[in-house]
Amino acid sequence: MTAYFIQAFIYLCAAVIAVPLAKRFGLGSVLGYLIAGVVIGPIIGLVGSETNTLQHFAEFGVVMMLFLVGLELEPRMLWDMRNKLIALGGLQIGLTTAIITAAGFYFGLSWSIALTVGLIFALSSTAIVLQTFNEKALSKTEGGKNAFSVLLFQDIAVIPMLALIPLLALPELVEQAQAAVGQAAQQHEELSLVAGLPGWAYGIVVMLAIAAVVVGGHYLSRPLFRYVANSGLREIFTATALMLVIGIAALMSLVGLSPALGTFLAGVVLANSEFRHELESNIEPFKGLLLGLFFITVGAGIDFGVLASNIGPVLGITAGVMLVKALVLFVLALIFRIKNSDRWLFALSLAQAGEFGFVLLSYTVQNHVIPTDLAQMLSLVVALSMFLTPGLFIFFDKVIVPRYEHSENDREADEITEKGTVIIAGIGRFGQMVNRFLRANKIDTVVLDHQISQVENLKKINVKSFYGDATQPDLLHTAGIEDATMLVIAIDNNERAVELTKYVKHTYPKVKIFARAFDRGHHFELKHAGADFIISETYHSALELGKEALISLGVHPFKAEQKKATLRELELCYKDSLFESWKKKTEDSKYSAHFRELFIELETAIAKAMKSEHFDEQAKVERGWTPPPKDYEEKINRSE
Amino acid sequence: MPEDKKKILVLFAHPAQERSEVNKPLFTACQQHSDVTAIDLYREYPTFHINIDKEQQRLREHDVIIFMFPLYWYSTPAILKQWQDLVLEYGFAYGPNGNALIGKTFLCAITAGGSEAAYQSEGYNHFTVRELLQPLEQTASLTGMNYLSPFVLFSARNAVEENRVNAHITNLRHLLTALAEDTLDIETARSLPVLNSNLSDLFIA
């Protein structure tokens, strides 16, 4: 037990030190993990033999990553992107694989190994590239968008690759592999549903398993999540999410399919679910940690002996691979008319090999497709190309962008700038109306609520909404708070609304906060917490009713409207001074019991002010359309 | 000497700016001019609740007052009329002690849909723009302001297609500068039918 603690501590410690450092130097978190692994493995030698075992465990992070990739892919979005995805992504993978395979074959690899290597190097690093795009705000550029389609296609292409690679197993190792499989089957007979079944039955079982995932995901997940959500226990929801992913992975393993494929499918099925964001925010930390662990084990597994003795070939292959990838991408950019600096961004950003390369390499070794020593060398190439990627981005920033800056700035500024997303927290009667109004004016909104019944009601009338606790940072993150322009807070819990305001204002100062207040005290608390616009929920409706009452009692409607405006203006006049005195008082006394007393005091002050204005004939705010005195003409004539 | 420059207040009234082709760029030119305070009335008072004190203070702080608007039914858009009704109070703009505006310069910068030929006694609008704006001319007179001829863009609906907008904006910029630096021939500027027919002749070198 003690040994486990110490090891876990070493891994976490390395990650905690290296990853923030790597981020600070603009290298991204993936490189941070790799460096951490290199340091604790080959350099200091703190960890050793257990990395292999750990790596198998950490590969589950990849399974989770594919689940999350699936969650992001709404079937409709996939369909809209189909042309670009298939043409651009397909050509990228096809051409790159073909060229690298040919090169491998030329250098004397057998065709199966060459093809495997080609496939592995055709993939780029989703983790590094997307993260860098986000950090450098390149996601919305033409180059960024096209790079995303290619990465998406690659992520999907990993699944058929996982299916294809075992078929490429080396003939001399097949026998050995079969013996091993046979042994495993004997040892774990009870763990396989398909051992010993004839081909047709195996086919049926596989189809049934996939159907179970799709149909179950579609029809059973919703009642299950609703049942769990109604319990209101957050950790049980997390447990359910984990159960789902692990269950599907287990089912797929039982029928001899890739767990990654299964969870990816489940992710796509759940992409339209109102629980999507909550699922993402629950799985994300596990995925992040496990993937991190995976990268650390890769780093720790780097054999410096291999590197030292193969330094020439490793450097050569790395340069060759990156050159081939960049060239293929550049040609594709020409064909698909990606212009100017975007063409360079597209070509440079995707020139590295990716994290899936590590996954596929360890998978190929397991399946006896590539000998271990070659795999070790290739994994050095993958790592090195990833290390070089930040350099390419710096090259893009410093050399490419200045060259195009002039010509791109000549274009006239667009009339309408992009309207970022508005996140609406709390979708009761108040939030619903805000949402409807914004949507009617073509503003993108993301709606969050922690009451599943509310979310379901909205689903019935086609409002896109998600289940989850909006005060949880994770959920805000998956709802896209970083890129949002505004957060509308309309949740029922007063204290949480204030806390949420404080948190968002502190962490994302650029996001505007529009909040609904329960009463005046809440109003001031929200203001104090930094909300940009606050409205008391009953204020306007009460004033409106008061105005209608005046009209009904015989006041001319236009006059009644003026009276209403007068009251509003008075409130506005006094608002700031009331807030200041509230602030002073709350800073002096720390007990909330005093608030009530204070507000009664403030209300009296307003009432008094209203009264004095009311009796003043020349009331400042009501002086509009005051006619001149009856004898004014004489005065004007006299002055002429 | 910048202290000697006249301060210009532009009160802009256009209720449908997303459809505006001429007034909006004109207003932008005003916003960019260093001697101009440019106020978009519909933006500041979307509910028509005009802050009388604030508007009167603005008038006190400026030497030249410009109403900028598209001509609606031979007059100003509604908010500019509301502004007059509320802000030009007895005792402020006229009447005893109502001398806040005396000596200031006033003009209208407008766009009109009809051609210059239409705004003639023999044209279909029967009156010249100067004649139609007489209520404002008399308002200036009663409040003691110097009324200049209107600065007009005729046939405004075709101005973009006929590439006349940029020249008009350039003219406005020159006019604003001349007003700020007090290099405008005021006497002539008071007497013309419209200000922009021979604008460059009005600038005193």
Side-chain angles (χ1 to χ4, degrees), chain A residues 390-404:
Chain A
L392 291 184
F393 274 105
I394 292 167
F395 176 75
F396 173 76
D397 275 347
K398 297 275 182 266
V399 180
I400 306 292
V401 173
R403 267 180 54 190
Y404 287 97

Side-chain angles (χ1 to χ4, degrees), chain B residues 15 76 78 92 152 171:
Chain B
T76 69
F92 168 79
V152 189
N171 278 342

Side-chain angles (χ1 to χ4, degrees), chain A residues 416-592:
Chain A
I416 300 162
T417 51
E418 195 190 342
K419 296 172 194 133
T421 317
V422 175
I423 299 176
I424 300 180
I427 193 70
R429 291 161 301 167
F430 194 95
Q432 262 175 55
M433 276 182 72
V434 176
N435 183 53
R436 200 179 309 147
F437 187 58
L438 292 181
R439 285 251 158 200
N441 287 287
K442 299 196 172 59
I443 307 285
D444 281 335
T445 57
V446 178
V447 168
L448 308 171
D449 202 289
H450 69 288
Q451 274 189 337
I452 187 61
S453 53
Q454 205 66 268
V455 174
E456 274 175 355
N457 286 340
L458 287 180
K459 278 244 152 174
K460 280 182 201 139
I461 52 167
N462 283 332
V463 175
K464 212 174 164 194
S465 47
F466 296 99
Y467 164 78
D469 182 352
T471 59
Q472 295 293 330
D474 285 351
L475 190 72
L476 282 176
H477 171 75
T478 45
I481 186 90
E482 288 91 345
D483 304 320
T485 15
M486 186 185 291
L487 170 67
V488 175
I489 302 180
I491 57 176
D492 277 336
N493 187 319
N494 291 356
E495 287 96 59
R496 290 197 143 183
V498 176
E499 276 166 33
L500 180 58
T501 308
K502 272 187 199 151
Y503 167 74
V504 173
K505 267 293 150 193
H506 179 254
T507 321
Y508 310 101
K510 278 186 196 154
V511 177
K512 283 200 185 109
I513 294 187
F514 279 43
R516 181 225 11 209
F518 177 70
D519 56 16
R520 194 183 298 279
H522 192 217
H523 186 120
F524 286 151
E525 283 176 53
L526 286 165
K527 185 172 177 170
H528 195 52
D532 296 275
F533 177 81
I534 307 145
I535 198 117
S536 297
E537 59 178 351
T538 50
Y539 187 72
H540 287 281
S541 37
L543 271 185
E544 191 64 25
L545 189 140
K547 186 197 82 180
E548 289 298 328
L550 281 185
I551 295 170
S552 175
L553 293 170
V555 177
H556 188 284
F558 188 68
K559 190 73 198 166
E561 188 65 45
Q562 299 309 310
K563 292 276 183 194
K564 193 178 125 190
T566 303
L567 194 88
R568 284 201 54 196
E569 273 173 50
L570 258 176
E571 283 261 355
L572 281 177
C573 290
Y574 283 87
K575 213 165 84 181
D576 287 339
S577 59
L578 285 180
F579 177 63
E580 287 308 316
S581 62
W582 172 85
K583 224 164 57 178
K584 228 187 210 162
K585 281 227 171 182
T586 48
E587 275 159 14
D588 290 346
S589 67
K590 300 208 160 53
Y591 300 102
S592 56

Side-chain angles (χ1 to χ4, degrees), chain A residues 200-218:
Chain A
W200 60 271
Y202 176 68
I204 290 179
V205 171
V206 167
M207 294 307 283
L208 281 178
I210 291 178
V213 170
V214 173
V215 176
H218 202 81

Side-chain angles (χ1 to χ4, degrees), chain A residues 415 561-562 565 569 620 623-626 628-629 632 635-636 640, chain B residues 24 48-50 52-53 56 82 85-86 89-90 94-96 142:
Chain A
E415 183 73 7
E561 188 65 45
Q562 299 309 310
E569 273 173 50
K620 193 170 66 173
R623 73 185 205 233
W625 302 281
T626 311
Y632 86 106
K635 292 181 186 168
I636 288 183
E640 260 187 15
Chain B
K24 218 174 156 204
F48 276 52
H49 291 300
I50 288 173
I52 299 172
D53 284 327
Q56 291 184 345
Q82 174 98 330
D85 296 350
L86 291 172
E89 281 182 316
Y90 180 77
Y94 69 108
L142 187 70

